[in-house]
């Protein structure tokens, strides 16, 4: 194209995907990725801080700030997608480590049987007396009369089709009656006898992933499960980045992205359950939904402001969002269906944790139980049937792939298990059995434990100057080589390393979790020995080696048989609430009874956190199975 004919838009083509998009001149390569639907890792939401969005463009572009990249990376043409701007047509290679790939999403739950099924929905078969000149009562009142309840309401959407539905069934109809929080209404009316099918939806809206289950409300069985990445990820990986994006005018977009993700999960569930059926299950067959999410995800999903959750004193718009219709929430379920949203205890302790507690059953017995859910935030609940205390610690994203140079989430290509050999080379397992791109949370815990065990780091997690080429000093500090670039494949330009700075981030994260757990025990005058049970909830526990987590001082050193994993507790809690009024009552009780302790103003937390900044802790009495490691000869 000649200079005079320069087009305004630029074509950006991605390799090896072969996908192209037209964008305006001057947009960032990250925006071009989003426009082309390329899922790229952008932990910091495009603020240039995380250094994860690495691409190699060829063509017309301005590289922007590349100061966070290594000299090797710069020499090989790598730039940050959020810093580089498009100035003409481009061919862009997204580096393997910067791609969001198949994630290990935790769909597994306890699926505990519910002894007394009592969903808030039921189907009733009605044989209506035909209208005649002697009985010309209106259709709606006729249905109310048949149901024996003149207070039942009917949403306008159901009312609109009523006359047709009643006559198509020759005055035999199936009414779906809902009674949630005392608001009785006829959600749906179908012609003929349709009592054999009553379906509901349970959803966990996580910051990273959204998981759903289709539940048969007549049997309590899970009939399909599906999951997807939360599409908000491209607007920032953690909740803080997304709240900031919202404050800059992106709130509506985040609401749409959350709802789009849930709808995509619903579509997968319906496809799955309809396979092989003569008449497919449709969105209208889903007549109720129960949703658990953290406070920020719930706010985005409903479409309310998150600004004051981010700022001190971290106040949400509402703890308890009243039930909404599927239509109000833009969900692809029956428009009149009611959607139960789990209540949030605090800005950083949401309905997902209330659901975790419900699923764990810790509120029902006199055993003293601690529940830990580790994500970007660590949420901890301590209690029994008489009391519950909770807190959230800003654990940092180290175990979710953030703030660690080789960190990544638990997705294909992540080392999730690592052993350091005597010659300081590493043996490892990679999710998806493919060449490694980085290390996920469980791998990092293994690595720190193993490095300590082999004397590569001291109790403050500082790398020792050992006489080996696995430890080396760079301009940025000291680093340990986990794997060499020539063994990584994937066109890696650098070795896979952990640095002193990475290890300090891991140390801070584990210290925050253990410090928070200790504070809760202290507040209730309990001791580690008093714990009857320790419940690990969430996807993190999926890959975790408890012994390793204890050996670095992240989790308490109590008998391992006291540890219990409940999988995706938020999803399980949502399912239980859908199926049982006892569970819905428990949900309200947990929410009302649970005391929340704000750690950011708690002096005990600061002390406990500082004491936990050692492997495993300054007070070795707390870790009886710990053996102090003698550093090898030559270590400094
Ligand atoms: S540095 Fe580009 S998204 Fe974080």
């Amino acid at each position: 194209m000649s200079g005079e004919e320069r087009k305004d838009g630029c074509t950006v083509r991605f390799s090896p995907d072969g996908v192209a998009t037209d964008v305006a001149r001057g947009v960032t390569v990250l925006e071009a990725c989003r426009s082309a639907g390329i899922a790229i890792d952008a932990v910091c939401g495009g603020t240039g801080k995380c250094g994860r969005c690495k691409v190699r463009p060829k063509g017309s572009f301005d590289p922007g700030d590349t100061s966070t990249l290594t000299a090797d990376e710069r020499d090989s043409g790598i730039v940050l997608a959020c810093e580089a701007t498009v100035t003409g047509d481009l061919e862009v290679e997204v580096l393997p480590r910067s791609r969001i790939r198949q994630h290990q999403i935790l769909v597994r739950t306890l699926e505990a049987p519910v002894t007394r099924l009592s969903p808030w929905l039921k189907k009733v078969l009605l044989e209506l007396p035909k209208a005649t000149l002697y009985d010309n009562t209106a259709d709606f009142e006729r249905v109310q009369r048949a149901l024996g309840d003149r207070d039942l309401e009917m949403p306008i959407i159901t009312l609109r089709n009523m006359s047709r539905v009643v006559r198509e069934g020759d005055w035999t109809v199936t009414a779906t009656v809902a009674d949630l929080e005392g608001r009785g209404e006829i959600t749906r009316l179908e012609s003929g006898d349709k009592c054999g099918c009553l379906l509901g939806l349970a959803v966990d809206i996580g910051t990273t992933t959204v998981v759903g289950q289709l539940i048969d409300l007549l049997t309590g069985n899970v009939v399909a499960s599906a999951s997807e990445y939360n599409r908000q990820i491209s607007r920032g990986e953690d909740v803080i980045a997304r709240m900031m994006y919202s404050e800059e005018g992106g709130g509506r977009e985040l609401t749409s992205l959350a709802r789009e993700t849930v709808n995509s999960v619903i579509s997968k569930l319906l496809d799955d359950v309809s396979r092989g059926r003569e008449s497919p299950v449709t969105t209208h067959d889903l007549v109720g939904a129960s949703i658990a999410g953290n406070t920020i995800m719930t706010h985005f999903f409903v479409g309310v402001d998150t600004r004051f959750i981010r700022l001190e004193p971290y106040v949400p718009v509402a703890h308890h969002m009243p039930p909404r219709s599927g239509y109000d929430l833009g969900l692809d379920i029956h428009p009149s269906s009611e959607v139960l949203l789990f209540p949030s205890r605090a800005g950083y302790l949401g309905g997902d944790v209330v659901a975790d507690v419900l699923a764990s059953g810790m509120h029902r017995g006199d055993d003293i139980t601690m529940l830990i859910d580790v994500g970007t935030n660590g949420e901890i609940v301590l209690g029994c049937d008489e009391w519950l205390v909770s807190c959230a610690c800003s654990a940092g994203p180290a175990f979710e792939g953030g703030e660690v140079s080789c960190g990544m989430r638990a997705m294909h290509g992540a080392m999730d298990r690592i052993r350091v050999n005597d010659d300081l080379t590493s043996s490892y397992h990679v999710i998806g059995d493919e060449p490694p791109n980085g290390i996920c949370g469980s791998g990092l815990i293994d690595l720190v434990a193993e490095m300590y065990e082999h004397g590569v780091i001291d109790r403050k997690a500082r790398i020792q100057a050992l006489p080996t080429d696995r430890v080396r000093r760079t301009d940025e500090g000291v680093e340990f080589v986990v794997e060499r670039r020539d063994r990584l494949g994937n066109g890696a330009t650098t070795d896979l390393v952990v640095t002193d700075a990475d290890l300090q981030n891991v140390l801070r994260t584990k210290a925050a979790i253990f410090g928070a757990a200790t504070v809760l025990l202290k507040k209730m005058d309990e001791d580690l020995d008093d714990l009857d049970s320790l419940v690990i909830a969430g996807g993190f526990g999926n890959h975790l080696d408890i012994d390793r987590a204890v050996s670095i001082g992240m989790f308490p050193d109590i008998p391992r048989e006291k540890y219990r994993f409940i999988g995706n507790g938020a999803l399980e809690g949502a399912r239980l609430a859908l199926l049982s009024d006892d569970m819905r009552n428990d949900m309200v009780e947990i929410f009302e009874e649970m005391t929340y302790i704000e750690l950011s103003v708690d002096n005990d937390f600061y002390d406990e956190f500082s004491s936990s900044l050692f492997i495993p802790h300054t007070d070795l009495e707390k870790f009886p199975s710990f053996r102090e490691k003698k550093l090898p000869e030559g270590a400094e």
Side-chain angles (χ1 to χ4, degrees):
M1 182 176 295
S2 72
E4 306 91 75
E5 285 177 322
R6 283 171 56 131
K7 57 176 184 170
D8 280 338
C10 311
T11 302
V12 181
R13 190 172 299 281
F14 291 89
S15 63
D17 314 75
V19 180
T21 183
D22 288 332
V23 294
R25 198 178 305 279
V27 305
T28 62
V29 174
L30 181 63
E31 284 167 289
C33 285
R34 287 168 179 165
S35 151
I38 302 287
I40 187 166
D41 207 346
V43 179
C44 66
T47 55
K49 294 195 184 106
C50 67
R52 305 293 285 276
C53 57
K54 290 172 189 165
V55 293
R56 196 184 274 124
K58 283 198 189 89
S60 191
F61 67 98
D62 175 348
D65 184 359
T66 57
S67 55
T68 56
L69 299 171
T70 64
D72 276 355
E73 287 173 330
R74 280 195 292 270
D75 290 349
S76 69
I78 292 172
V79 298
L80 292 177
C82 66
E83 290 288 343
T85 48
V86 180
T87 57
D89 292 347
L90 263 190
E91 183 89 24
V92 176
E93 177 198 347
V94 180
L95 297 201
R97 263 181 67 191
S98 298
R99 280 180 184 273
I100 295 175
R101 311 179 63 208
Q102 196 180 334
H103 198 275
Q104 296 296 103
I105 298 175
L106 186 57
V107 178
R108 185 173 52 78
T109 60
L110 291 177
E111 286 188 33
V114 175
T115 41
R116 194 179 61 83
L117 285 179
S118 46
W120 69 80
L121 296 142
K122 63 178 177 186
K123 279 196 167 178
V124 184
L125 182 64
L126 302 173
E127 303 279 356
L128 300 172
K130 280 188 185 172
T132 65
L133 282 175
Y134 301 101
D135 176 11
N136 56 2
T137 305
D139 294 342
F140 174 50
E141 280 76 8
R142 195 173 294 270
V143 169
Q144 275 186 326
R145 196 168 65 194
L147 286 166
D149 188 346
R150 292 187 180 278
D151 292 330
L152 282 172
E153 293 176 11
M154 185 178 277
I156 190 85
I157 301 166
T158 310
L159 213 48
R160 272 191 200 125
N161 298 316
M162 179 166 201
S163 301
R164 177 182 54 77
V165 169
V166 167
R167 284 158 187 83
E168 274 179 8
D170 194 21
W171 302 90
T172 299
V173 291
T174 303
T176 302
V177 181
D179 183 6
L180 183 60
E181 298 194 3
R183 300 182 332 155
E185 64 175 27
I186 304 160
T187 304
R188 188 186 190 196
L189 214 56
E190 297 165 271
S191 303
D193 182 354
K194 302 287 165 36
C195 288
C197 171
L198 184 63
L199 292 171
L201 179 73
V203 182
D204 157 34
I205 305 184
T207 309
T208 308
T209 54
V210 172
V211 193
Q213 285 179 335
L214 208 57
I215 312 289
D216 182 336
L217 302 179
L218 300 172
T219 63
N221 292 337
V222 176
V223 290
S225 302
S227 60
E228 191 164 308
Y229 269 120
N230 187 333
R231 294 184 185 177
Q232 293 180 339
I233 283 182
S234 57
R235 307 302 185 263
E237 186 153 354
D238 62 44
V239 290
I240 301 292
R242 287 186 217 167
M243 285 193 280
M244 290 169 73
Y245 186 78
S246 168
E247 287 159 35
E248 285 158 10
R252 280 190 181 194
E253 189 190 352
L254 289 169
T255 296
S256 301
L257 290 169
R259 293 176 179 184
E260 260 176 39
T261 316
V262 178
N263 284 337
S264 172
V265 168
I266 293 172
S267 161
K268 287 182 186 175
L269 291 169
L270 292 178
D271 283 351
D272 185 6
V273 81
S274 298
R275 207 167 292 130
R277 283 201 190 203
E278 220 166 82
S279 49
V281 178
T282 70
T283 53
H284 276 228
D285 290 317
L286 300 180
V287 284
S290 165
I291 297 183
N294 65 47
T295 313
I296 293 116
M297 288 306 114
T298 304
H299 275 49
F300 281 140
F301 181 69
V302 172
V304 293
D305 195 1
T306 55
R307 181 181 313 255
F308 297 102
I309 301 178
R310 189 174 71 81
L311 305 170
E312 244 182 71
Y314 320 117
V315 175
V317 169
H319 291 292
H320 177 240
M321 303 276 184
R324 306 277 153 174
S325 72
Y327 177 82
D328 284 348
L329 294 171
L331 282 187
D332 289 342
I333 58 177
H334 193 286
S336 304
S337 58
E338 282 182 299
V339 180
L340 171 75
L341 295 157
F342 267 67
S344 303
R345 183 61 280 163
Y348 292 96
L349 197 111
D352 51 348
V353 181
V354 173
D356 277 341
V357 173
L358 184 67
S360 75
M362 63 184 282
H363 60 292
R364 283 196 289 272
D366 56 6
D367 278 0
I368 295 181
T369 301
M370 177 176 281
L371 180 144
I372 303 181
D373 190 335
V374 180
T376 309
N377 256 348
E379 287 118 355
I380 304 177
V381 185
L382 177 70
C384 57
D385 54 352
E386 290 187 354
W387 50 269
L388 290 166
V389 285
S390 61
C391 66
C393 58
S394 161
F399 295 140
E400 297 266 306
E403 289 183 355
V404 175
S405 49
C406 61
M408 64 186 285
R409 284 165 304 193
M411 62 176 112
H412 279 210
M415 293 178 180
D416 63 341
R417 283 289 162 89
I418 302 180
R419 294 290 174 262
V420 173
N421 305 314
D422 287 344
D423 62 357
L424 302 189
T425 58
S426 304
S427 304
Y428 43 81
H429 173 262
V430 181
I431 299 174
D433 288 322
E434 51 184 76
N437 285 322
I439 308 176
C440 67
S442 58
L444 278 172
I445 289 170
D446 275 4
L447 183 63
V448 173
E450 290 277 318
M451 286 172 75
Y452 181 76
E453 192 63 33
H454 285 81
V456 181
I457 53 176
D458 64 8
R459 289 192 56 207
K460 288 185 176 171
R462 290 174 306 208
I463 299 175
Q464 303 300 295
L466 297 177
T468 161
D469 59 359
R470 287 272 154 178
V471 172
R472 61 195 184 198
R473 183 167 287 281
T474 69
D475 290 347
E476 281 90 35
V478 190
E479 62 187 24
F480 175 72
V481 179
V482 182
E483 190 53 287
R484 298 197 186 286
R485 84 174 91 171
D486 52 337
R487 286 174 48 89
L488 289 173
N490 275 343
T493 54
T494 52
D495 297 335
L496 192 65
V497 300
V498 278
T499 65
D500 253 338
D502 295 336
L503 292 166
Q504 292 311 307
N505 284 332
V506 174
L507 198 66
R508 274 195 290 276
T509 299
K510 80 94 190 166
I513 292 163
F514 190 80
T518 315
V519 167
L520 286 192
L521 286 164
K522 203 167 170 180
K523 301 280 178 210
M524 299 313 294
D525 230 357
E526 303 286 349
D527 202 50
L528 283 173
D529 294 337
D530 299 324
L531 280 182
D532 295 304
S533 173
L534 202 148
V535 175
I536 307 289
F540 190 67
N542 217 20
H543 305 263
L544 197 66
D545 180 334
I546 282 293
D547 271 331
R548 301 278 155 189
V550 171
S551 73
I552 69 165
M554 177 174 166
F555 289 159
D557 192 2
I558 57 174
R560 306 302 184 260
E561 60 273 18
K562 290 188 178 181
Y563 276 86
R564 199 155 57 88
F565 294 89
I566 60 165
N568 189 334
L571 183 63
E572 175 69 353
R575 182 185 76 91
L576 293 173
L578 190 62
L579 287 173
S580 155
D581 55 5
D582 288 342
M583 292 294 172
R584 289 191 291 283
N585 290 337
D586 279 11
M587 174 194 81
V588 174
E589 258 175 44
I590 292 166
F591 162 68
E592 286 174 350
E593 298 294 317
M594 192 156 66
T595 306
Y596 177 71
I597 293 168
E598 178 55 61
L599 292 183
S600 63
V601 289
D602 192 292
N603 287 337
D604 280 344
F605 176 64
Y606 183 75
D607 293 343
E608 295 297 341
F609 171 73
S610 304
S611 305
S612 306
L613 285 170
F614 286 81
I615 297 175
H617 197 272
T618 42
D619 179 4
L620 295 182
E621 297 286 307
K622 285 185 160 60
F623 287 83
S625 60
F626 173 82
R627 284 177 296 113
E628 187 156 11
K629 187 73 198 164
K630 199 170 162 317
L631 291 173
E633 219 55 22
E636 289 168 8

